[in-house]
Structure formats: structure tokens, C-alpha cells
Amino acid sequence: MFTKQTLLAFIGTLSLASARTIPASDDVPSLAEVEAAAATVVPYSPVSNVKGLAFDRFHQIWFENQGYQTTADDSNFAKIAKEGILLTNYFATTHPSQPNYVASAAGDNFGMDNDDFHQIPANVSTIADLLDTKRIAWGQYQEALPYAGYQGYNFSNQKTYANDYMRKHDPLIIFDSITNDDLRPRQIKNFSSFYEDLKHERLPQYSFITPNMTNDCHDTNITVGGNFLADFLPPLLKNEYFAKDTLVLITFDENNSIGENRVYSILVGGAIPEHLKGTTDDTFYTHYSIIASLSANWGLPSLGRWDCGANILKLVAEKTGYVNWEVDTSAVKNLLNETYPGPLSENIYSKYEPFWPIPTTSDRCTAGHGVVDIVKDTYNRRQPTFNYISPVPYDARSGYNTGIKYWRTKDGKKETGITN
Ligand SMILES: *[C@@H]1O[C@H](CO)[C@@H](O)[C@H](O)[C@H]1NC(C)=O
Ligand SMILES: *[C@@H]1O[C@H](CO)[C@@H](O)[C@H](O)[C@H]1NC(C)=O
Ligand SMILES: *[C@@H]1O[C@H](CO)[C@@H](O)[C@H](O)[C@H]1NC(C)=O
Ligand SMILES: *[C@@H]1O[C@H](CO)[C@@H](O)[C@H](O)[C@H]1NC(C)=O
Ligand SMILES: *[C@@H]1O[C@H](CO)[C@@H](O)[C@H](O)[C@H]1NC(C)=O
Ligand SMILES: *[C@@H]1O[C@H](CO)[C@@H](O)[C@H](O)[C@H]1NC(C)=O
Ligand SMILES: *[C@@H]1O[C@H](CO)[C@@H](O)[C@H](O)[C@H]1NC(C)=O
């Protein structure tokens, strides 16, 4: 989607004196400037070794815009699924792409219903803030990112001008709480850095991996994505350093059409117990479940947004005794296919007060470690905008995703809830 903002935003001006990357502005630097920055900016690869309950390292690889069955029918995806756990009831949060990537980082999509250039204010926290509470090293690997921390809207293939890197698929760069810092942007790196970090055994304990617009199926189809996966992943799974106690999630940002927004997702890696290889897990998950699962795995707090009530991966839930919710996914037509109004909506945003949704500071979040201090300090017990304790995101004001029942049996007692 091309808008006024898109055309204006583009690439940040470059400070070559320091390694700090400057927020994107109206300037469009020349290729020479991008090359100069690439030669100057030093990628940052912190290392940590914090034991988790179910895994010690987590990588998520995101593909684009394919239906569940289309992916199941691809021989390469099907083959990888046989080596791991197929998640058959995993949902994206909305359409189009960018809000799903933002959801994976911040526990909300803030009503975003577009792929425009956004910078999310510094008082919105992300998964990086959670991991930082225990100094768990994190990073992102974006194929074709011209240098670590690049903030432009895109970086195309400079020979063919085909789409290659796109900011909308690069979750953490969209947040001022990342880019207002000297080090954090440099943890957002490209695939050359991935292979360097692999070689030097300094991969982070959390990473988000985005193949380019060809390999992630966006500008191509499932066959191309499957071929990429078949080249990329098996050597890593055979690499003892990479695979040991590692969990890899392969998922899609969104399903590709009107219909419920269920996406094909697989867990693989050395952290999968032998007896679970080739099995399926039909627990109701969303992209928010991943933040909640990382919190439960490492004993981290919650962001107090939709990660608060999200179901957590069974693999982790079994270690903590957490009982996940069952959800009546048939109650609403085309579940999770749209965005409720919010500050990043294209048109209708000004309707609601407060403009930016207030997170919860409830102690009742799934992971059981409260809400992260920076969120508590910033929002100071204000009334949360949404019922973030629900395992299903909904908005009672606009009627979005309302009327969905959920239930579980805990300590022999049936508990029920409804999104109203
Ligand atoms: C999206 O996923 C659902 C399965 O949950 C499926 O019925 C629908 O057809 C999918 N859309 C496409 C285009 O595959
Ligand atoms: C967070 O920042 C936004 C944008 O600057 C502002 O509108 C909002 O009031 C801030 N929220 C709080 C709780 O300070
Ligand atoms: C990857 O990033 C590094 C470090 O920022 C940069 O030097 C290199 O040119 C980039 N590689 C590609 C293929 O863009
Ligand atoms: C960004 O994309 C536009 C439109 O496809 C293209 O013309 C431009 O060269 C790209 N910018 C960079 C820096 O790659
Ligand atoms: C994406 O990366 C692959 C290599 O992984 C390369 O063959 C392909 O040309 C790249 N796509 C574009 C548009 O440059
Ligand atoms: C994907 O596109 C390639 C050509 O680029 C074609 O050979 C292949 O059959 C297509 N796959 C599907 C599932 O349409
Ligand atoms: C989402 O589902 C609703 C209800 O079926 C439908 O009216 C709407 O057009 C769908 N929107 C999208 C973007 O798929």
C-alpha cells in the first residue's frame, strides 16, 4: 500500500560519526549513503545463557499470506511438520501484514489496518523489554536489510528493483522504544550477520527471522517459500550448536483471504521431545501466545496487553501446570480477520479515548509473573482499555470478536468466560 507517508518516510539520515542510527525522516539518502552506513554501523550480538523451562533458545521464522490447507499441501512444509509439532488451531490477529508483526512484538496491533510507515511511541513496550529484565539476548534477522538498524520503508534489490527487504515485516524497528537507543537497533541485523553469529556461536536466545519478499512467499507462492525453508532449516537442525534445547516456530503473518485467519504453524528443533515429533496440537493459539509462552518459559513478566490472557504453548504449559482455555472458534464468522479501531487505524481512530490503549497491570496474566515494571510505572494503574485477561482478543466498544465462549477445567472446577 503506497500512501503519502510511505513516499515521505523512507530512509533515515545517517550519522557516520557514531554507530547510532537516526530515525527515518523525509530525507531520502543516496545509495552511497546507505553503503557508507553499511560500512560503518557495527552489528551488535549480545550473548546470554538463561535456562528456560521448556527451551533455552527460540527463533520464529515468518512466512506470508498463505492459507492453512495450501501450506499443508506443500511437500516441504509437510516434511518439516513431520519432524515437529503441527499447531492446527493457531490464528493471526488481523489483516494486512504489518499489524501482525507489531502484535508479535507488543501484544497489540493498536487498531492498525494498513501497511503504512509507522513509528510507535516510546511509551509502548515490547518483548525486548521483557527479555531485558533477565538480560536474555534478543535479535532479529531480516534478509536483505542493508545494515543493522536500517529504518527505511524498504530496501529493494538494487539490480532488479524487486521488493527485497520491507520495514513492515521487521517488527521491532517500528518502535521508538527500540530506535531511541544506541544499542538496540544494532540487534536488528541481516542474514549475513545470522551466519556470522551462528559461526561464532553467539546467536541470541530470542530471534525473529524474516526471509526476503521472494522467499517468504509474499511476492511468490508457497512452493518458493517451501523451497527456501527446505534449504534454510535442515542444515540448522543438524547443527548441534543451533539445535540444542532450541525451539523454532515456523508460522505465517496471516491467512491470504477472507475467512477465519487460521495459519499453518510448526514447532521444531532440539527442544521437542522425541515422542512429540510428528504430532499435532489443537490448542487455540494466536501470535500473542508466543509472547506469553516466552514469559512462562523464562519466568518473565507480561506486557499487560493481549499476551496477558493468551494461551501458552502446551510444551511450556505442561512444565508450569498452567491450564489453557478451550475456545469456541466457530462462534464468530471469519475469526480474527479484522482490526478493531485504534490509534493506527487508517480512518476511524479518533473515536476513542484514550487514544493509545492502556495496558492492564493485573497480576492475573497467564505467565504468572505480573506485568513488567516499565509498563506499571508508565500507566500507573489506569483503567485498561481492553479486557486483556481474555484468551481471545476482542473489543466490546466496536463489537469486534464479541460473543465467543471459552472454558477450562482447573482443579476439578469448570471455569467459563465470554468475550462481552
Ligand atoms: C484460511 O484458513 C481457513 C482454515 O481455518 C480456511 O478455511 C480458509 O480457506 C483459509 N483461507 C485460505 C485462502 O486458505
Ligand atoms: C504515550 O505516548 C503517546 C504519544 O506521545 C501519548 O499520546 C500518550 O498520552 C502517552 N501515554 C501515556 C500513558 O503517557
Ligand atoms: C548486512 O549487514 C552488514 C552489517 O550491518 C553490512 O555490512 C552488510 O553489507 C549487509 N549485507 C547485505 C547483504 O546487505
Ligand atoms: C523502495 O521501493 C521503491 C518502490 O518499489 C523503489 O523505487 C525504491 O528504489 C526502493 N528504495 C530502496 C532504497 O531500495
Ligand atoms: C531473495 O533472496 C534470495 C536468496 O535467499 C535471492 O535468490 C533472491 O533473488 C532475493 N530476492 C530478491 C527480490 O532480491
Ligand atoms: C509457484 O510458482 C512457480 C513458478 O514461479 C510454479 O512453478 C509453481 O507451480 C507455483 N506453485 C503453486 C502452488 O502455485
Ligand atoms: C471479516 O469477516 C466479516 C464477517 O464475516 C466480514 O464481514 C468482513 O468482510 C471480513 N473482513 C475481512 C477483511 O476479511
Side-chain angles (χ1 to χ4, degrees):
M1 183 186 294
F2 276 83
T3 64
K4 180 168 84 263
Q5 280 138 295
T6 314
L7 294 169
L8 288 176
F10 283 31
I11 305 156
T13 46
L14 306 166
S15 162
L16 302 181
S18 87
R20 175 157 187 181
T21 46
I22 303 296
S25 73
D26 295 355
D27 293 317
V28 181
S30 66
L31 191 55
E33 283 174 305
V34 174
E35 281 167 2
T40 316
V41 173
V42 182
Y44 179 50
S45 303
V47 176
S48 63
N49 192 13
V50 180
K51 285 266 157 216
L53 294 174
F55 50 86
D56 292 343
R57 221 186 276 125
F58 183 87
H59 303 287
Q60 51 183 327
I61 309 173
W62 278 40
F63 290 86
E64 278 278 315
N65 305 354
Q66 304 296 317
Y68 186 96
Q69 197 54 47
T70 311
T71 312
D73 290 343
D74 179 80
S75 61
N76 287 311
F77 279 94
K79 192 169 165 208
I80 302 282
K82 287 209 187 80
E83 296 173 31
I85 304 171
L86 175 63
L87 308 179
T88 59
N89 206 12
Y90 182 117
F91 283 76
T93 73
T94 185
H95 296 295
S97 293
Q98 188 169 227
N100 287 297
Y101 289 78
V102 161
S104 79
D108 200 339
N109 54 39
F110 309 100
M112 195 194 292
D113 55 2
N114 55 77
D115 283 331
D116 300 350
F117 188 100
H118 290 286
Q119 283 180 275
I120 296 178
N123 59 16
V124 174
S125 296
T126 69
I127 195 164
D129 298 302
L130 303 185
L131 295 163
D132 278 357
T133 63
K134 286 203 172 172
R135 295 176 189 278
I136 295 171
W138 54 266
Q140 287 192 166
Y141 296 105
Q142 301 280 317
E143 188 167 19
L145 186 75
Y147 58 85
Y150 174 77
Q151 293 179 45
Y153 185 77
N154 64 299
F155 192 74
S156 302
N157 180 306
Q158 295 300 314
K159 290 197 182 78
T160 62
Y161 293 96
N163 291 324
D164 208 357
Y165 162 83
M166 295 288 289
R167 175 188 172 96
K168 65 178 177 174
H169 297 169
D170 184 351
L172 288 172
I173 207 71
I174 299 162
F175 294 84
D176 285 349
S177 59
I178 299 294
T179 56
N180 286 351
D181 187 78
D182 284 329
L183 284 179
R184 287 176 147 196
R186 292 195 272 129
Q187 290 167 239
I188 301 171
K189 299 172 275 186
N190 60 28
F191 275 24
S192 317
S193 291
F194 173 79
Y195 284 107
E196 282 293 301
D197 290 348
L198 175 69
K199 189 170 90 189
H200 297 290
E201 303 197 352
R202 58 177 192 219
L203 288 171
Q205 286 190 267
Y206 167 81
S207 94
F208 190 106
I209 300 176
T210 307
N212 71 17
M213 297 281 282
T214 307
N215 290 332
D216 75 357
C217 313
H218 186 282
D219 290 351
T220 53
N221 63 24
I222 194 67
T223 313
V224 175
N227 286 338
F228 164 79
L229 187 65
D231 285 343
F232 181 74
L233 194 61
L236 296 174
L237 296 178
K238 286 195 199 91
N239 176 323
E240 203 198 328
Y241 161 71
F242 178 90
K244 192 168 183 303
D245 300 320
T246 293
L247 191 63
V248 179
L249 169 71
I250 294 152
T251 192
F252 289 78
D253 70 327
E254 56 178 328
N255 181 322
N256 66 342
S257 70
I258 294 174
E260 64 174 353
N261 205 354
R262 193 161 58 107
V263 290
Y264 190 89
S265 302
I266 313 168
L267 296 173
V268 275
I272 307 273
E274 208 55 46
H275 72 280
L276 291 179
K277 291 185 178 167
T279 62
T280 58
D281 171 1
D282 63 3
T283 310
F284 173 79
Y285 299 121
T286 63
H287 289 319
Y288 302 124
S289 297
I290 303 311
I291 307 177
S293 301
L294 298 173
S295 291
N297 182 62
W298 277 303
L300 306 174
S302 168
L303 289 168
R305 299 200 188 262
W306 292 116
D307 63 318
C308 174
N311 277 343
I312 59 180
L313 293 172
K314 202 168 163 186
L315 213 57
V316 184
E318 280 171 354
K319 302 274 184 186
T320 66
Y322 183 78
V323 184
N324 277 320
W325 297 95
E326 286 181 60
V327 174
D328 180 8
T329 53
S330 68
V332 166
K333 214 175 150 220
N334 302 343
L335 185 62
L336 287 160
N337 77 326
E338 278 186 341
T339 317
Y340 46 71
L344 301 180
S345 306
E346 199 77 71
N347 296 316
I348 36 181
Y349 56 80
S350 58
K351 252 189 187 166
Y352 293 132
E353 281 296 329
F355 191 55
W356 281 89
I358 306 295
T360 181
T361 47
S362 168
D363 288 334
R364 288 167 56 204
C365 297
T366 304
H369 304 279
V371 168
V372 67
D373 284 344
I374 188 175
V375 167
K376 284 202 256 186
D377 295 347
T378 307
Y379 295 92
N380 200 18
R381 291 170 213 280
R382 287 174 60 186
Q383 179 66 30
T385 303
F386 298 107
N387 176 20
Y388 286 118
I389 288 169
S390 162
V392 189
Y394 72 101
D395 176 23
R397 303 168 307 186
S398 64
Y400 176 71
N401 272 353
T402 51
I404 300 172
K405 291 197 179 84
Y406 53 91
W407 64 92
R408 65 180 173 186
T409 304
K410 204 181 153 197
D411 304 327
K413 275 202 332 229
K414 184 155 181 188
E415 295 175 17
T416 59
I418 185 161
T419 59
N420 271 341

